[in-house]
């Protein structure tokens, strides 16, 4: 495993990490979740990603039980939670980034994960109802109280992240160190263009999500629709519609041919492509089977297979390179 500093923070995270969205406490049996975490940890993965909303708290409960049972030294792993969506409650005090919910959600996550502190705490989305000032103060205080070590954002705009930094700096508070954006061959704008200045100015780190576009970047959707896969799950029609478009499928077919020419699987090539971006601190993997995790973790050794020539071929297939402003 290789490790990389999370932006300009001193925290080193494994380049490949493991997340639990739609898997732990939901589509995957607890025994499988345990085997995934154990395999990842033994392969050097040190970051496990979670959120209050995942399976409405159940994902954290499952992960907490595994952490407790495994009895790994607390200084050997990094665990996160995210606040914003709540765990299903619809009252105005049960979601958002206001001080009340952020503090209460932190306490609840600590209980479910059975840890004394969270290493990373993310604001899962921007909250238009709460001032950024209130959220920055709240995160700063949680750090001072020892309940969280670092904080970050997820799917915030560059402007919102900058605003948080400016307020933190003016008031000698601790600002966010990390953003968690979607990044894969079909979602490139934020990581490749929008955050460009933030890597230089505030030293932003990134923990990127859905690197395989929910499994689309594999060969399984290229022929008969497979059984028991995420994009076929009832209730996730929105995710299927977002990913399974004709245009994307055609590109996946060409990408799959290229991967096979290289002697790689498409998931490995797609993950290595994400890792090639120097602004990606860690790629958060999702897996519903141990065999997927084994395959995905082996992408790191394939990095140098993606030389300039291969990267050009991928670019030609994707034909979606986001343009950087020229002024
Ligand atoms: P991916 O895009 O990699 O999707 C993972 C899914 O793809 C697996 O559950 C599996 O689903 C399928 N898959 C994985 N590996 C393979 C393989 N080798 N071959 C074929 N199919 C495969 O990542 P996720 O969308 O799960 O995102 C990763 C993590 O990022 C999440 O767990 C979460 O921690 C975080 N996240 C954060 C978000 C945010 O807003 N901050 C939003 C979403 C995710 P199946 O077998 O069912 O087809």
């Amino acid at each position: 495993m290789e490790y990389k500093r999370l932006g300009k923070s001193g925290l080193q995270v494994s380049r490949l990490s493991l997340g639990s969205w739609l898997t732990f406490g939901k589509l995957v049996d607890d025994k499988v979740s345990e085997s995934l975490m154990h395999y990842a940890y033994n392969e050097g993965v040190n970051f496990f990603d979670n959120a209050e909303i995942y399976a409405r708290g159940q994902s954290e409960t499952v992960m907490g039980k595994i952490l407790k049972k495994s009895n790994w030294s607390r200084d050997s792993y990094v665990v996160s939670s995210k606040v914003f969506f709540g765990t299903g409650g619809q009252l105005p005090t049960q979601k958002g980034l206001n001080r009340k919910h952020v503090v209460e959600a932190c306490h609840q996550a600590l209980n479910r994960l059975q840890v004394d502190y969270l290493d990373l705490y993310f604001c899962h989305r921007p909250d238009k109802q709460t001032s950024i000032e209130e959220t920055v103060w709240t995160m700063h205080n949680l750090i001072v109280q020892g309940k969280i070590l670092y904080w970050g954002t997820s799917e915030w705009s560059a402007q919102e992240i900058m605003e948080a930094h400016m307020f933190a700096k003016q008031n000698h508070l601790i600002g966010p160190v990390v953003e968690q954006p979607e990044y894969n061959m079909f979602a490139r704008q934020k990581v490749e263009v929008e955050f460009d200045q933030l890597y230089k100015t505030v030293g932003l780190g990134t923990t990127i999500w859905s690197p395989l576009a929910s499994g689309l970047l594999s060969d399984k959707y290229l022929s008969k629709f497979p059984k028991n896969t995420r994009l076929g799950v009832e209730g996730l029609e929105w995710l299927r519609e977002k990913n399974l478009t004709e245009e994307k499928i055609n590109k996946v077919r060409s990408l799959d041919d290229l991967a096979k020419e290289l002697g790689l699987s498409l998931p490995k090539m797609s993950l290595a492509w994400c890792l090639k971006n120097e602004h990606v601190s860690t790629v958060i993997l999702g897996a519903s089977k141990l065999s997927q995790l084994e395959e995905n973790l082996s992408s790191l050794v394939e990095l140098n297979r993606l030389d300039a020539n291969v990267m050009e071929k991928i670019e030609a297939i994707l034909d979606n390179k986001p343009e950087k402003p020229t002024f």
Side-chain angles (χ1 to χ4, degrees), residues 45 135 149 285-286:
V45 166
T135 304
L149 302 187
L285 303 173

Side-chain angles (χ1 to χ4, degrees), residues 198-246:
L198 296 181
Y199 303 128
K200 294 173 207 143
T201 50
V202 302
L204 188 76
T206 62
T207 60
I208 64 109
W209 61 266
S210 284
L212 297 180
S214 277
L216 169 68
L217 286 161
S218 67
D219 63 6
K220 66 184 171 192
Y221 294 105
L222 292 179
S223 40
K224 209 173 125 220
F225 200 91
K227 280 192 191 143
N228 301 325
T229 59
R230 181 185 292 183
L231 296 181
V233 170
E234 212 185 302
L236 294 179
E237 291 78 12
W238 62 273
L239 196 60
R240 181 162 62 244
E241 277 161 28
K242 172 182 164 181
N243 286 299
L244 288 188
T245 64
E246 201 183 325

Side-chain angles (χ1 to χ4, degrees), residues 39-300:
Y39 185 81
Y41 184 82
N42 290 333
E43 289 293 308
V45 166
N46 75 354
F47 169 39
F48 299 99
D49 187 60
N50 221 318
E52 58 172 355
I53 184 65
Y54 295 172
R56 300 185 175 218
Q58 197 51 30
S59 166
E60 291 182 338
T61 300
V62 171
M63 191 176 276
K65 282 187 189 153
I66 298 168
L67 288 173
K68 177 99 179 162
K69 191 170 155 201
S70 306
N71 204 21
W72 297 327
S73 174
R74 186 64 186 88
D75 58 13
S76 67
Y77 64 88
V78 170
V79 67
S80 74
S81 182
K82 305 187 201 84
V83 56
F84 175 74
F85 291 105
T87 51
Q90 289 309 313
L91 298 172
T93 49
Q94 292 174 324
K95 48 192 171 180
L97 298 180
N98 57 81
R99 182 173 293 121
K100 180 169 169 65
H101 183 62
V102 172
V103 169
E104 287 171 351
C106 178
H107 292 161
Q108 288 159 11
L110 292 174
N111 278 335
R112 287 189 294 259
L113 286 164
Q114 303 190 53
V115 290
D116 297 327
Y117 57 88
L118 300 170
D119 301 279
L120 294 176
Y121 197 30
F122 290 92
C123 297
H124 211 157
R125 290 292 180 271
D127 179 359
K128 309 292 177 200
Q129 319 268 359
T130 304
S131 69
I132 284 183
E133 286 86 340
E134 180 172 331
T135 304
V136 173
W137 261 116
T138 308
M139 288 298 190
H140 172 86
N141 285 339
L142 287 172
I143 290 179
V144 173
Q145 291 164 7
K147 290 177 183 165
I148 65 173
L149 302 187
Y150 300 87
W151 75 278
T153 56
S154 179
E155 295 296 328
W156 280 31
S157 67
Q159 190 184 338
E160 288 159 336
I161 296 169
M162 205 55 210
E163 226 178 297
H165 269 278
M166 280 165 58
F167 181 76
K169 201 172 164 75
Q170 279 158 8
N171 294 281
H172 306 287
L173 305 175
I174 300 170
V177 298
V178 57
E179 157 66 24
Q180 187 168 127
E182 181 179 17
Y183 186 54
N184 58 54
M185 288 178 174
F186 296 119
R188 305 173 60 176
Q189 182 70 23
K190 273 182 184 276
V191 169
E192 293 185 25
V193 176
E194 188 180 336
F195 297 153
D196 211 31
Q197 288 303 311
L198 296 181
Y199 303 128
K200 294 173 207 143
T201 50
V202 302
L204 188 76
T206 62
T207 60
I208 64 109
W209 61 266
S210 284
L212 297 180
S214 277
L216 169 68
L217 286 161
S218 67
D219 63 6
K220 66 184 171 192
Y221 294 105
L222 292 179
S223 40
K224 209 173 125 220
F225 200 91
K227 280 192 191 143
N228 301 325
T229 59
R230 181 185 292 183
L231 296 181
V233 170
E234 212 185 302
L236 294 179
E237 291 78 12
W238 62 273
L239 196 60
R240 181 162 62 244
E241 277 161 28
K242 172 182 164 181
N243 286 299
L244 288 188
T245 64
E246 201 183 325
E247 191 193 349
K248 286 183 182 173
I249 288 285
N250 287 338
K251 289 180 181 180
V252 169
R253 190 162 282 119
S254 304
L255 290 166
D256 189 50
D257 290 343
L258 176 61
K260 289 197 171 114
E261 255 174 53
L262 296 170
L264 295 173
S265 69
L266 182 51
K268 277 197 206 188
M269 186 174 88
S270 307
L271 294 167
W273 180 90
C274 293
L275 287 164
K276 288 282 281 189
N277 188 320
E278 59 169 337
H279 300 302
V280 169
S281 318
T282 182
V283 171
I284 313 179
L285 303 173
S288 58
K289 295 182 188 75
L290 189 55
S291 57
Q292 291 175 347
L293 185 63
E294 286 168 358
E295 177 181 5
N296 298 350
L297 280 174
S298 69
S299 59
L300 196 55

